[in-house]
Amino acid sequence: MAIADYSCSGTWEGELIDVGTGTNDADYEGKDVKGKIVLASGFPGGVMNQAVWNRGALGVVYYNAARGISHPDQIAWTSLRSRPPKDKENMFAFSISYRAGMELKQRLAPRPKPVPVPGAFGEGMVPGEKIVVRAKVEAQFEENPKQWIVEGWIRGTKIHDQQIVLTAHAQEEKYSANDDNSGCANVLEIARALVRLIQEGKIARPKRDIRFWWVNEISAEYEYFSVHAEEAKKMLVNLNQDMVGAKQSVGSRIQHITRTPWSRPSYLNTVMESIAGMVMKGNSAYLSAGMAGTPQPYSKAILSKLGTRERYGAEIVPYFDSSDHLVFNESVIGVPGITLTNWPDENIHSSDDDLWQMDATQLQRNAFIVAATAVYLASLKPEDVRALALQVRADGQRSLNESYHRATNLLTLVAPADRSAVYLKGANLLEQARLRAGATLDSVRVFGVDAKAGAELEQLKARFTTAAANLLGDLGRNYAFLSGGTSPPAAQFGEEEKAMAGKVPEVAGTVAEYFDKRQKIENYFGLHPLMAWETFCFVDGKRSYLDIYRVVRAEVQMAGEWYYGKVTARQVADLLDAAVKAGAVKMKQ
């Protein structure tokens, strides 16, 4: 049994009533729950609203039906609303296993009247068992709660305003071996190992500072930067670890490694993908590699003495949030960040997130990726920038080619009546990919380039323009090929798009004021939450509503609507208007 977060202190006693999910009005038809305790499988915050606040119940006994068949004895962590509505107060909620919940449900249910003949049933039903629950909670809440961050440093030899920040969150519940004690342990082990290697002279002390943060997930960073906004200017990148120790054969888990969002183009993707790609290929087996004499099963094995010999199942994926790197990538913070997070994970936030399903080998592989990325960036010298720039340039060309491939595929899959609209979206995708590739190449300038190198970077960027123009011409020929020789359409703005082109938003107020006002926007107008966040992140005082819509649409198109949902011009305009109304952004005059 577990107590839900934000339950309040008190002692209660009442009859237990089964209300099904307990989150809909229909669950309470014909049931009087006033002064009673409800058994429910729906989210306890919603049950608290329906049963306690609306109908006078005393509290909630919750069981997790979503994982019940696969994990009948798992006890889920759960929470009530941290900020109840005005004049409302949380009572309590306890979490029990699915098996225990179903047993109580069966005992409460009416059943056929028994008869003396074995195996037979009489006419009519008898009421279910009356069960009385007694609950006692002792909880303590700080009157003025504060966030905390535990911090460690490896001081660089020369540069102190380009810090590499490693993060993991430490606030989780009792059972949190993978989420996120694994990340916390890896950050600590990376710090310990690097300090020892430096002390023993096996690696040089890096030029730049490396900071190690153990935090309250997401909320600590939001408060930190709200109070110390200037600190973000001293940070180069964020490398986050959140669930990095899973035994992958338990639940078919994959180690996902994110790229930065489109609003934060960065060389970090190139560095991370190079190192992670080596670990991925070096810890997977390939038949032909063995025939070539390459060591088998793994060519660059990273194995822990106490861990498994499983392969490293990892995938580099488009940006997602839900962990600490989110805050660093905010437009008003401006620090590119990535996370290593395994998914799916049916043990997360439950009593099953314990040491039995951890793997020291996977911990070590993920720690290597993060440590190697941190050391490379912390040690990068001006003479190394040219090699990095060429790798970033190659990745930019690849992204352009992938955009062309995506646009062509979509063109071939639509009905003829929709072909013109899809062509125009493909043309926009190529243009946005070109701009993103150029901005990513520009990001290497942070390491310092002289006038000559700067001019050469501009020449490399110009090659993106040439490549994009060639690909656009080829996309037009593809359109003509599919359309029997008809030329592709030219872009035309409707009245809505013309209006959007004339509105240029910019962030209003301080970092703290911006975050405070933005969180009051509750309606995302049907946008995927990540694309709503990206819409906010593209607000820079330069892009118009239309510009923001076009780049967000391209980001969705590249990843796929299955990943980021649909986006329309109206949704983006309505969301930005809501941000203006909330005072988070304002129109540039």
Side-chain angles (χ1 to χ4, degrees), residues 28 84 205 251 364 565:
Y28 297 89
R205 180 173 289 275
Q364 189 168 329

Side-chain angles (χ1 to χ4, degrees), residues 64-138:
N64 185 355
R67 300 182 189 172
I69 295 177
S70 300
H71 305 278
D73 296 311
Q74 186 181 96
I75 298 173
W77 165 84
T78 191
S79 173
L80 301 175
R81 295 173 64 175
S82 60
R83 297 179 180 179
K86 187 177 181 180
D87 301 326
K88 302 292 184 182
E89 182 182 11
N90 287 329
M91 292 291 103
F92 72 89
F94 284 100
S95 176
I96 61 176
S97 70
Y98 174 78
R99 192 190 303 276
M102 291 304 294
E103 180 182 338
L104 289 172
K105 188 179 183 72
Q106 291 171 1
R107 290 171 60 186
L108 291 169
R111 51 190 177 275
K113 184 180 295 184
V115 295
V117 181
F121 294 97
E123 295 183 1
M125 305 287 286
V126 296
E129 183 179 344
K130 180 178 180 179
I131 300 174
V132 175
V133 173
R134 297 179 180 88
K136 182 178 181 180
V137 177
E138 295 180 1

Side-chain angles (χ1 to χ4, degrees), residues 9 18 33 64 71 180 219 230 264 271 303 364 377-378 454 463 466-467 483 496 498 512 532 554 582:
S9 295
D18 179 17
V33 299
N64 185 355
H71 305 278
D180 184 31
S219 58
E230 72 285 351
R264 189 59 45 203
V271 176
L303 300 169
Q364 189 168 329
L377 292 174
R463 286 157 59 182
T466 302
S483 304
E496 180 180 45
K498 289 179 181 178

